[in-house]
């Protein structure tokens, strides 16, 4: 009798949850959904096992894959989770486990968008025009690289509060998820007099409403481009990732 396949999903995104739920629906497999364990109240997929915490680097990740005899790894971490993706790519190569990166397609500027594309967070810091009133929508972990810009005003929106509170009077932390509609995002921008958004090009639908809002009210976006990661294999939709996963476990 064929053994039940084991699939590891590296998660932490909405696309990862959607993929996990759909995979559990269509494939009789043991599915483990892995989270770094940083978010205190993460949203979880419904019918798969969840594990928390880092693996301890490439060798330890390779050992973890071999011990549980994972048949495939679907890396659906955020496209800016560089360390985890690089570790997974190398470890999968070392232990000969099939690897797939699943991320949303990056956003492309549309007519009416005013984007200044920058390669890194540090470039975003240097390219902020003095006097800007900024919606900083890059998550809480990396917000502090903007501390040096005390000539700007920041509304930092993050799902969990900044660990250091409001570090100065030009910093305000809004603990919230991205707005549910473009109108909600326009209201937020206008009520704080925001005249620039700093965003990562995550490609996620849920984060796109602020980009639409910026277009509607004609404010620029400093768009941080994705890190260059040497993915051996990448797909952009749940359906394609399901097909790939089924192919890996058709023993
Ligand atoms: P990172 O810098 O690539 O990872 C740092 C370390 O955290 C990794 O080396 C690994 O520890 C551990 N880790 C990361 N993702 C993990 C996962 N899914 N399961 C188990 N361990 C994991 O990642 P990050 O940017 O801090 O992101 C952490 C998590 O938040 C990821 O799950 C990501 O999908 C999610 N997220 C990130 C962003 C972002 O902008 N970066 C935005 C939204 C959500 P070891 O080396 O010990 O294995």
């Amino acid at each position: 009798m064929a053994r039940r396949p084991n699939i590891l999903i590296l998660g932490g995104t909405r696309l990862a949850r959607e993929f996990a739920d759909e995979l559990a629906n269509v494939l009789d497999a043991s599915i483990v959904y892995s989270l770094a364990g940083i978010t205190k109240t993460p949203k979880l997929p419904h019918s798969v096992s969840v594990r928390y915490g880092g693996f301890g680097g490439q060798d330890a990740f390779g050992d973890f894959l071999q011990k549980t005899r994972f048949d495939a790894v679907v890396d659906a971490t955020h496209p800016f989770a560089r360390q985890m993706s690089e570790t997974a790519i190398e470890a999968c190569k070392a232990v000969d486990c099939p690897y797939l990166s699943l991320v949303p397609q990056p956003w492309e500027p549309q007519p009416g968008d005013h984007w200044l594309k920058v390669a890194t967070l540090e470039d975003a810091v240097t390219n902020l025009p003095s006097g800007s009133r900024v919606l900083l929508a890059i998550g809480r972990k990396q917000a502090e690289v903007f501390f040096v810009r005390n000539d700007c005003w920041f509304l930092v929106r993050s799902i969990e509060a900044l660990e250091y509170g409001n570090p100065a009077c030009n910093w305000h932390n809004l603990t919230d998820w991205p707005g549910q509609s473009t109108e909600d995002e326009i209201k937020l921008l206008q009520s704080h007099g925001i005249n620039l958004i700093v965003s990562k090009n995550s490609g996620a639908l849920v984060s796109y409403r602020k980009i639409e809002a910026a277009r509607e009210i004609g404010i620029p976006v400093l768009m941080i481009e994705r890190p260059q990661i040497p993915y051996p294999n990448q797909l952009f939709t749940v359906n394609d990732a399901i097909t790939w996963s089924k192919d890996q476990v058709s023993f």
Side-chain angles (χ1 to χ4, degrees), residues 8-14 16 33-39 51-58 60-61 75-87 138-139 141-142 159 200 202:
L8 176 66
I9 301 172
L10 299 173
T13 62
R14 183 181 170 140
Y33 183 86
S34 174
L35 285 172
I38 300 166
T39 307
R51 69 161 297 283
Y52 297 90
F55 299 95
Q58 186 186 318
F61 185 61
D75 172 6
T77 55
H78 191 276
F80 283 72
R82 177 182 207 144
Q83 206 179 323
M84 186 68 255
S85 291
E86 289 182 346
T87 296
I138 59 162
K141 264 181 67 185
Q142 292 161 316
I159 294 161
K200 291 175 175 172
S202 73

Side-chain angles (χ1 to χ4, degrees), residues 84-105:
M84 186 68 255
S85 291
E86 289 182 346
T87 296
I89 291 166
E90 286 308 315
C92 285
K93 207 190 294 170
V95 304
D96 201 19
C97 180
Y99 167 95
L100 172 71
S101 157
L102 171 64
V103 284
Q105 287 273 15

Side-chain angles (χ1 to χ4, degrees), residues 17-108:
R17 286 197 305 280
E18 288 173 357
F19 171 69
D21 284 334
E22 186 55 21
L23 192 65
N25 273 338
V26 299
L27 193 69
D28 180 23
S30 164
I31 301 167
V32 176
Y33 183 86
S34 174
L35 285 172
I38 300 166
T39 307
K40 288 188 196 97
T41 50
K43 291 185 176 171
L44 297 174
H46 300 297
S47 42
V48 300
S49 350
V50 181
R51 69 161 297 283
Y52 297 90
F55 299 95
Q58 186 186 318
D59 291 347
F61 185 61
D63 290 347
F64 176 83
L65 293 178
Q66 287 186 310
K67 216 180 247 170
T68 315
R69 292 181 68 195
F70 280 105
D71 299 293
V73 172
V74 177
D75 172 6
T77 55
H78 191 276
F80 283 72
R82 177 182 207 144
Q83 206 179 323
M84 186 68 255
S85 291
E86 289 182 346
T87 296
I89 291 166
E90 286 308 315
C92 285
K93 207 190 294 170
V95 304
D96 201 19
C97 180
Y99 167 95
L100 172 71
S101 157
L102 171 64
V103 284
Q105 287 273 15
W107 303 316
E108 291 297 336

Side-chain angles (χ1 to χ4, degrees), residues 57-207:
Q58 186 186 318
D59 291 347
F61 185 61
D63 290 347
F64 176 83
L65 293 178
Q66 287 186 310
K67 216 180 247 170
T68 315
R69 292 181 68 195
F70 280 105
D71 299 293
V73 172
V74 177
D75 172 6
T77 55
H78 191 276
F80 283 72
R82 177 182 207 144
Q83 206 179 323
M84 186 68 255
S85 291
E86 289 182 346
T87 296
I89 291 166
E90 286 308 315
C92 285
K93 207 190 294 170
V95 304
D96 201 19
C97 180
Y99 167 95
L100 172 71
S101 157
L102 171 64
V103 284
Q105 287 273 15
W107 303 316
E108 291 297 336
Q110 302 300 312
D113 280 337
H114 303 287
W115 288 10
L116 173 60
K117 294 184 186 181
V118 289
T120 64
L121 218 57
E122 290 69 24
D123 290 346
V125 175
T126 26
N127 280 287
L128 262 187
S130 189
S132 296
R133 288 183 68 87
V134 180
L135 172 66
L136 191 57
I138 59 162
R140 89 193 139 110
K141 264 181 67 185
Q142 292 161 316
E144 61 190 280
V145 299
F146 287 84
F147 280 1
V148 290
R149 292 303 306 266
N150 50 19
D151 57 332
C152 295
W153 185 91
F154 294 92
L155 179 67
V156 187
R157 180 170 63 195
S158 52
I159 294 161
E160 286 182 2
L162 295 177
E163 278 156 15
Y164 27 79
N166 286 328
C169 61
N170 62 330
W171 278 72
H172 291 268
N173 188 199
L174 173 66
T175 311
D176 206 355
W177 291 84
Q180 302 266 4
S181 67
T182 310
E183 291 67 36
D184 286 350
E185 295 294 59
I186 291 175
K187 265 188 225 152
L188 177 79
L189 296 172
Q190 290 184 328
S191 64
H192 290 89
I194 302 293
N195 58 18
L196 185 143
I197 296 177
V198 177
S199 174
K200 291 175 175 172
N201 194 337
S202 73
L205 206 62
V206 66
S207 313

